[in-house]
Amino acid sequence: MKYSFYKLKFLTCVHIGAGALTRGKYTLYADTVFSALCKEALKFGEDKLIKLVEVGRENRIKLTDGLPFIEDRYYVPKPMLELDISTESDRTVKKAAKKLEYIPIEKMDDYLSGRLDVKQENEYFSNNIGQHNLVGKAKINIGEDANPYVVDTFVYGEKSGLYVCVGAENDELEAFVREIFTSLSYSGVGGKISTGYGKFELEVVPATENFVKRLESTIYKKYMSLSISLPSDDELEDVLPAADYLLIKRSGFVSSETYSETLRKKKDKYCMAAGFVFEKKFEGSILDVSNGGTHPVYRYAKPFIMGVK
């Protein structure tokens, strides 16, 4: 499989919802990325959408979450592991270790062995990734007073943004995904794209050697997913007993204009957040979370598996 980093260099601010307009994140779940790609694929014709879902289900393409990068540092989630290492008694060090969310892939071994300077990593990350801003807006209906509201936005640093690692079975599928991603760069990703948020410049580069090694090596006994994921019903019994995970409720409204005459919610699903650690590999699935509308609504819940230790 060919692995590439799709680097999203944002040209505008971004709103990535975290349950309310006034709360936001700076990373994207893989199911959000996949949904955006599905909507974009439909602009090329229904056959493109059908193909995207089909090759995703067959693991002929794979997607990570939208993860941070700063310059040439590509970050992955901190594994959900209890590390059997001695730590300094300094409270500030322990606090910094707890605060750490993402680790540069080339420093994963340092983190697992306890050699990583977590205070320095947190400082570098917070100084360079970007910042949240609250932006005032107003909803105006004819004949009514303006209804003000506030939106949380994120502005990435000059040399930072998000990347999605895309695994493609062959060059034809890589070109297929790249075409849809390129189109998406003009439409935007995240929330409030109708107001100009979420537009980005796309740069595609080969995945780093260190990254690919962790994807393909057979030496590991523990793995983590770099995407939000969910074992199928048949897989749960084998995966969960030896797993460490955080459940996230995924819901939201269907954005399709042809789905229903009224705004409808997707079916709620609980998925494992990226960083979920397990011993038994699994396939996951692409779920149909439609709820009485005119067409399927897809939620991506396939793992992107990386060796940890």
Side-chain angles (χ1 to χ4, degrees):
M1 184 162 276
K2 178 181 180 181
Y3 295 100
S4 303
F5 288 156
Y6 281 52
K7 300 175 72 172
L8 283 56
K9 299 179 177 180
F10 287 95
L11 306 174
T12 65
C13 61
V14 181
H15 172 69
I16 303 173
L21 285 175
T22 54
R23 297 201 309 271
K25 303 163 59 262
Y26 57 84
T27 56
L28 287 163
Y29 293 131
D31 59 356
T32 300
V33 176
F34 188 76
S35 293
L37 291 173
C38 285
K39 190 174 179 180
E40 203 66 29
L42 197 56
K43 295 179 181 179
F44 294 92
E46 190 174 354
D47 59 325
K48 289 270 189 179
L49 172 60
I50 292 171
K51 179 177 179 179
L52 179 62
V53 174
E54 180 181 294
V55 297
R57 280 186 169 144
E58 295 173 352
N59 292 322
R60 297 170 64 197
I61 62 163
K62 300 177 182 180
L63 305 172
T64 66
D65 278 8
L67 300 169
F69 75 82
I70 301 173
E71 297 186 287
D72 59 351
R73 294 190 185 195
Y74 298 96
Y75 289 80
V76 295
K78 178 175 69 175
M80 296 179 192
L81 279 172
E82 290 290 336
L83 299 181
D84 186 20
I85 55 175
S86 59
T87 57
E88 298 179 48
S89 59
D90 186 346
R91 289 186 178 181
T92 60
V93 174
K94 291 184 177 180
K95 187 176 180 179
K98 187 175 181 179
K99 182 181 177 183
L100 190 71
E101 292 184 285
Y102 296 97
I103 302 165
I105 183 59
E106 70 274 10
K107 296 187 178 182
M108 179 63 76
D109 287 336
D110 289 341
Y111 171 73
L112 294 173
S113 64
R115 299 192 305 268
L116 184 68
D117 187 333
V118 290
K119 290 193 293 184
Q120 184 181 71
E121 283 300 323
N122 276 334
E123 183 177 356
Y124 178 85
F125 190 87
S126 61
N127 287 342
N128 290 279
I129 189 61
Q131 63 181 15
H132 288 277
N133 290 317
L134 291 176
V135 178
K137 299 272 186 182
K139 182 178 180 181
I140 301 176
N141 295 321
I142 297 175
E144 299 180 7
D145 292 337
N147 184 17
Y149 63 96
V150 176
V151 177
D152 177 275
T153 64
F154 195 85
V155 179
Y156 294 91
E158 183 180 352
K159 298 180 179 180
S160 68
L162 299 179
Y163 76 96
V164 177
C165 185
V166 176
E169 184 181 62
N170 52 45
D171 290 341
E172 184 271 327
L173 284 178
E174 200 281 327
F176 169 73
V177 175
R178 187 186 296 221
E179 179 184 32
I180 302 172
F181 247 112
T182 301
S183 179
L184 182 62
S185 70
Y186 298 102
S187 301
V189 68
K192 295 293 180 182
I193 60 174
S194 62
T195 62
Y197 290 179
K199 291 179 172 53
F200 58 91
E201 176 186 329
L202 180 67
E203 180 185 3
V204 181
V205 299
T208 62
E209 183 179 348
N210 193 310
F211 190 97
V212 175
K213 180 181 177 181
R214 285 189 174 271
L215 301 181
E216 296 183 340
S217 177
T218 59
I219 66 172
Y220 299 103
K221 296 182 179 179
K222 285 185 178 289
Y223 308 90
M224 75 168 172
S225 177
L226 301 183
S227 62
I228 192 168
S229 57
L230 180 68
S232 66
D233 291 343
D234 293 338
E235 296 171 320
L236 282 171
E237 190 173 330
D238 291 330
V239 175
L240 293 190
D244 294 287
Y245 56 90
L246 173 66
L247 284 176
I248 297 178
K249 183 180 180 180
R250 302 296 290 142
S251 56
F253 291 91
V254 179
S255 61
S256 169
E257 296 176 358
T258 62
Y259 182 71
S260 174
E261 293 181 358
T262 58
L263 195 60
R264 292 205 183 194
K265 289 194 70 175
K266 304 172 186 177
K267 289 180 182 177
D268 294 342
K269 287 289 181 182
Y270 284 88
C271 297
M272 282 76 169
F276 157 40
V277 175
F278 47 92
E279 295 179 4
K280 176 74 173 178
K281 291 184 179 182
F282 64 98
E283 292 288 322
S285 56
I286 294 178
L287 308 166
D288 180 0
V289 292
S290 59
N291 192 13
T294 59
H295 58 73
V297 177
Y298 300 108
R299 186 173 296 289
Y300 190 83
K302 305 278 283 186
F304 194 105
I305 297 174
M306 167 177 279
V308 178
K309 61 184 296 188

